[in-house]
Amino acid sequence: MKIIQVCPRYYPYAGGVEKFVKTLTEELIRAGFEVTVFATEPKLKKPHVKKLIDGVELHLFNSYAFSEIGYLSPTLLRALKEIKDGIIHAHGYRSFPMLEAALAKGKDVKLVVTTHLGFSKVGELAYKIYNPLFGNIIFSKADKIVVVSPAEVEKIPLLRKFRHKVSYIPIGIQIPNTEFNDARCFEDKLSMLYVGRIEKRKGIDSLLRLMSILDEDKFSLTIVGGGPYAKQLKDALNRLKLNNVRFIGKVSERSLQELYKKSAIFLLLSEYEGHSVALTEAMAYGLVPVVTDVGGNSYVLGDAGFLIEHPCDVDKVSSILYDLYRNRKKLVSRSIKARIRAQKLFNINKIISRYISIYKELQN
């Protein structure tokens, strides 16, 4: 079975969608499938470059990106039109590669789309234009539509029109093969972690307001990631002189795993989320999540952490954190729940089997 995975970007670009596509692709290859990845690269000087990354055949196509969204690529569209059979699996409803996959679909090609939606206020307004213009094309051409969170069907009414094609399959991750470590829950200073895009809508300002009112002898925060708000974050840290916060930018996968192992609490105070890969990974390592109740966060979290109403009230977050600081048994209990939930629901092996079932169904 020949499968083409199509996504806006690919590793080493470190977005949640891209990380999932990389994991999905590598696991499918291990399962014996012939998988190739088509992705775009705005900085690419040539129209098309072929690479081999960790055993994956990757085709990069130059594209036009607008503030790191969109990724319009005529060269990708031409390449997709040359595919005459097999399965095209496109990721990222908000980006043009999925639309191009729908436009290029041949009569003997099956199309699977995984939406990976997020719901910022600006995004929701954009969907009102995007859905009738392009969404109808994508969902009409798709043979199967996969949503990574039930929140997507709630937020995008257009999906209800195509409900007969829709399946819910959450994001899958590699479950860490490490023993549970509760020592981090009993440190004098609790280590907290944020991992994700550095942009205003991810609640970066809320994180700084929170840290400014917390006792720096009791709590520390490490911020990991890159994005358009990085300079503002650095400037704010210099201005506020928060001794309990460090921003380390992008890190390697190994370094990120070490941070997960050493941290006790995961903070995500964002305005929008679909299914956060970082949140899922943090839970798998036993971090206790304190997150805003937006998008798909509640479906990921269950009863394993704490949901905060958005817009975020940092005083409420502070109260939760001080309660956990005083009650370490409660912290350990939620940590165990988070780890068990991630192992039970989001193990990549379970997710892979569900995608394989879809692929086989379409090929029959």
Side-chain angles (χ1 to χ4, degrees):
M1 188 185 300
K2 181 180 177 182
I3 302 169
I4 306 291
Q5 299 286 345
V6 178
C7 56
R9 304 290 296 275
Y10 192 71
Y11 180 85
Y13 184 86
V17 175
E18 292 75 18
K19 192 169 189 177
F20 171 66
V21 173
K22 183 176 188 291
T23 303
L24 175 65
T25 299
E26 291 173 351
E27 292 299 321
L28 286 171
I29 290 173
R30 289 191 188 97
F33 291 87
E34 180 186 350
V35 188
T36 305
V37 175
F38 282 14
T40 73
E41 174 51 66
K43 297 179 182 179
L44 197 66
K45 294 181 180 179
K46 297 180 180 180
H48 170 225
V49 172
K50 180 180 175 181
K51 293 184 176 182
L52 192 66
I53 297 183
D54 295 337
V56 175
E57 183 181 309
L58 170 65
H59 293 261
L60 289 174
F61 301 90
N62 61 358
S63 65
Y64 306 96
F66 319 100
S67 299
E68 297 190 26
I69 59 173
Y71 303 103
L72 180 65
S73 177
T75 52
L76 171 62
L77 178 61
R78 287 195 292 270
L80 289 168
K81 286 182 176 179
E82 293 176 4
I83 298 172
K84 303 303 179 185
D85 57 18
I87 292 174
I88 295 176
H89 186 169
H91 301 259
Y93 178 72
R94 292 170 292 177
S95 61
F96 288 117
M98 180 178 285
L99 175 63
E100 290 168 340
L103 293 172
K105 179 189 175 188
K107 63 183 181 68
D108 294 322
V109 174
K110 300 296 184 181
L111 177 62
V112 179
V113 299
T114 300
T115 47
H116 300 281
L117 289 171
F119 310 102
S120 66
K121 292 178 182 177
V122 174
E124 289 191 33
L125 290 173
Y127 290 147
K128 291 181 179 180
I129 301 171
Y130 189 91
N131 290 341
L133 289 176
F134 302 133
N136 263 312
I137 296 173
I138 292 169
F139 296 147
S140 296
K141 291 290 189 76
D143 296 282
K144 197 71 177 179
I145 302 164
V146 178
V147 296
V148 299
S149 171
E152 298 185 20
V153 180
E154 297 169 11
K155 290 284 188 176
I156 304 295
L158 179 63
L159 280 168
R160 298 168 196 164
K161 176 181 174 182
F162 300 93
R163 193 179 291 275
H164 60 289
K165 297 182 181 181
V166 174
S167 291
Y168 162 50
I169 305 178
I171 293 286
I173 61 166
Q174 294 281 4
I175 300 298
N177 186 23
T178 58
E179 293 185 6
F180 180 73
N181 170 29
D182 65 358
R184 58 191 163 167
C185 296
F186 293 95
E187 298 284 345
D188 290 338
K189 180 184 288 189
L190 288 178
S191 296
M192 304 189 294
L193 184 66
Y194 166 85
V195 178
R197 289 269 297 160
I198 307 302
E199 58 181 73
K200 191 176 180 66
R201 291 175 296 178
K202 285 289 189 174
I204 301 300
D205 291 339
S206 294
L207 288 175
L208 298 184
R209 287 200 305 274
L210 171 67
M211 297 310 294
S212 70
I213 64 174
L214 291 177
D215 187 334
E216 64 182 42
D217 292 326
K218 292 185 170 77
F219 300 95
S220 67
L221 172 65
T222 299
I223 299 175
V224 178
Y229 206 59
K231 184 181 184 304
Q232 289 91 328
L233 171 57
K234 291 177 183 177
D235 291 343
L237 288 174
N238 289 332
R239 184 178 67 254
L240 297 170
K241 294 181 169 40
L242 297 174
N243 297 320
N244 54 349
V245 181
R246 62 174 183 149
F247 171 44
I248 58 176
K250 296 180 181 179
V251 300
S252 68
E253 189 64 27
R254 180 170 295 181
S255 296
L256 179 58
Q257 291 169 2
E258 290 303 312
L259 287 168
Y260 281 139
K261 290 176 186 177
K262 295 175 181 178
S263 304
I265 294 169
F266 186 76
L267 294 176
L268 186 63
L269 307 182
S270 52
E271 174 188 321
Y272 71 98
E273 292 293 337
H275 179 141
S276 169
V277 173
L279 169 59
T280 312
E281 290 179 337
M283 289 171 59
Y285 278 90
L287 279 76
V288 176
V290 180
V291 304
T292 40
D293 188 5
V294 296
N297 281 351
S298 62
Y299 297 99
V300 178
L301 192 62
D303 63 350
F306 300 88
L307 286 170
I308 306 296
E309 186 179 351
H310 188 272
C312 178
D313 183 337
V314 294
D315 289 323
K316 289 184 179 178
V317 179
S318 173
S319 296
I320 290 170
L321 294 176
Y322 276 111
D323 180 56
L324 292 174
Y325 187 88
R326 291 187 294 267
N327 190 343
R328 301 306 179 94
K329 289 183 178 180
K330 183 177 183 179
L331 183 62
V332 172
S333 173
R334 292 298 179 103
S335 174
I336 294 171
K337 279 186 175 183
R339 185 175 168 96
I340 290 173
R341 183 173 176 83
Q343 291 173 334
K344 182 179 179 181
L345 299 181
F346 309 123
N347 189 320
I348 188 63
N349 295 325
K350 295 180 180 179
I351 304 306
I352 288 291
S353 66
R354 295 179 66 180
Y355 273 114
I356 289 175
S357 295
I358 287 175
Y359 297 151
K360 289 183 176 179
E361 176 188 334
L362 293 178
Q363 287 288 80
N364 292 335

